[in-house]
Amino acid sequence: MSKKNITIIGTGAYGTALANVLADNDNNVIMYGIVEQQVDDINIYHQNSVFFDNKKINKKIRATNSMAAALENTDILILGVPTTAIKHVVNDIIKYAKKPMDIINTAKGLDEENLGLLSDKIKKYFEKSNVLASYSALYGPSIAIEVVDRQPTAIMIASETIEKAKELCDVFSNEYFYMYPTTDIAGCEISAALKNSIAIGGGILKAYNAGDNAHATLLTLGLNEMYEFGKHFGAKLETFLNFAGLGDLILTASSKKSRNFRLGETIVELNDAKKALESFKLTVEGVETARIAHEIGIKYEINMNFFEIIYNILYNNVKPISLLNNVFRDVKLV
């Protein structure tokens, strides 16, 4: 595989981790960021200390705060920004892009406006331009710090064709970062979004010292609800058993490295979801996802007992003990 010119929009933790992987694979990697201090940190000191202290990243990675410069020769563009920033970023990309590019999304979530898939919304943003050569997205258990440390990691890339997915696997895969292809964008996207809300529940049970039996049960019923939700969008069952589904769910709902998991613990500590959310400085994706999933469940009459409970904890300030008392009753299994 020949070298690719790859642009990563955003200088966040996950974007930096992917930049390191791609630079290790001898690609030309440039990161676009709006914080000048981060851009300088990457260019001068070869680190992104906001997220990784003084840990070094590949010296070949370049950074810029000029969108035009970032898109000068791009073959592959990675959207490494939060869901809320995507529309604004896409407008800038369309303005400065020189040619069609393979677009890869890393944001996790659902489409709040249309109560549907985020991927459909992103593709719609690009549809009146000639920028989008193909759409893909990354999913799976890949905590950024472990990727930067070059610890073994396996994820999925979901593309519209299996040929494109396999081509991109060759760009990313190496001796510590393993990527596998799929065309089930819907199944991967739903898994990636909903597992964040389930992780909040995992943190709640952990803070109550509910035990390993309860934790395993929560993951099982959560996976079942993910699939029931996904069926409505044509998702395949096998997707919920791969790295995007089961793999990411186990990680996110079990690890203190997960912001969603830590939020669940904090909700119990304060016995108040509203206060817990006010105390959190970082984005916790599972909060917004729980609300949108709840609304989609109502709209399409999807049986989602866990999501109803977690929604009430997060948005109606129901006490977190309600999860422990009610989530294991009348579980519907696939």
Side-chain angles (χ1 to χ4, degrees), residues 19-70:
N20 209 46
V21 171
L22 293 163
D24 282 355
N25 292 354
D26 210 26
N27 294 289
N28 301 315
V29 181
I30 185 166
M31 303 183 71
Y32 166 79
I34 58 174
V35 181
E36 191 169 347
Q37 183 180 353
Q38 277 184 279
V39 170
D40 290 343
D41 206 19
I42 292 167
N43 286 330
I44 299 169
Y45 302 106
H46 311 299
Q47 60 189 30
N48 193 340
S49 56
V50 170
F51 300 101
F52 305 119
D53 296 324
N54 59 355
K55 194 176 292 292
K56 297 299 180 183
I57 57 176
N58 194 301
K59 292 181 180 180
K60 292 183 289 184
I61 299 168
R62 295 176 295 125
T64 179
N65 55 15
S66 166
M67 181 69 81

Side-chain angles (χ1 to χ4, degrees), residues 107-304:
K108 309 299 188 291
L110 298 167
D111 178 1
E112 174 186 11
E113 184 180 356
N114 302 298
L115 297 182
L117 298 178
L118 180 63
S119 54
D120 291 339
K121 190 172 187 176
I122 294 173
K123 285 186 280 187
K124 195 164 186 176
Y125 290 153
F126 282 104
E127 69 180 1
K128 292 183 180 179
S129 74
N130 65 345
V131 172
L132 182 65
S134 71
Y135 177 87
S136 304
L138 302 182
Y139 307 99
S142 48
I143 289 174
I145 183 63
E146 295 188 10
V147 177
V148 169
D149 283 338
R150 299 177 175 86
Q151 293 181 275
T153 300
I155 69 170
M156 309 299 293
I157 186 158
S159 305
E160 291 166 313
T161 68
I162 197 66
E163 291 78 17
K164 177 57 66 175
K166 288 179 178 178
E167 176 189 319
L168 293 171
C169 282
D170 290 340
V171 175
F172 281 85
S173 294
N174 58 30
E175 69 277 6
Y176 67 88
F177 197 81
Y178 304 87
M179 185 175 283
Y180 293 87
T182 179
T183 57
D184 188 9
I185 295 175
C188 288
E189 184 173 325
I190 288 162
S191 296
L194 298 193
K195 53 86 179 172
N196 286 322
S197 302
I198 297 167
I200 296 173
I204 289 173
L205 293 189
K206 180 67 174 179
Y208 278 124
N209 294 312
D212 293 339
N213 292 343
H215 183 73
T217 304
L218 179 73
L219 298 191
T220 303
L221 65 88
L223 187 65
N224 275 261
E225 288 197 18
M226 283 164 53
Y227 175 61
E228 287 297 322
F229 189 95
K231 282 195 302 185
H232 175 78
F233 295 94
K236 300 174 182 177
L237 175 60
E238 54 265 35
T239 299
F240 296 87
L241 305 178
N242 70 23
F243 302 123
L246 183 60
D248 210 5
L249 174 63
I250 291 171
L251 173 67
T252 311
S254 307
S255 173
K256 287 182 178 290
K257 295 177 183 176
S258 161
R259 284 174 284 183
N260 294 279
F261 186 87
R262 295 201 309 271
L263 174 64
E265 291 183 309
T266 306
I267 290 172
V268 175
E269 290 165 9
L270 299 178
N271 199 31
D272 188 304
K274 185 177 179 181
K275 290 179 181 177
L277 286 167
E278 288 171 353
S279 73
F280 256 67
K281 306 301 181 188
L282 299 172
T283 302
V284 184
E285 298 92 338
V287 176
E288 183 72 358
T289 297
R291 183 179 65 78
I292 301 170
H294 176 73
E295 292 177 8
I296 293 174
I298 291 173
K299 180 177 180 179
Y300 297 111
E301 299 181 345
I302 306 170
N303 189 327
M304 300 178 72

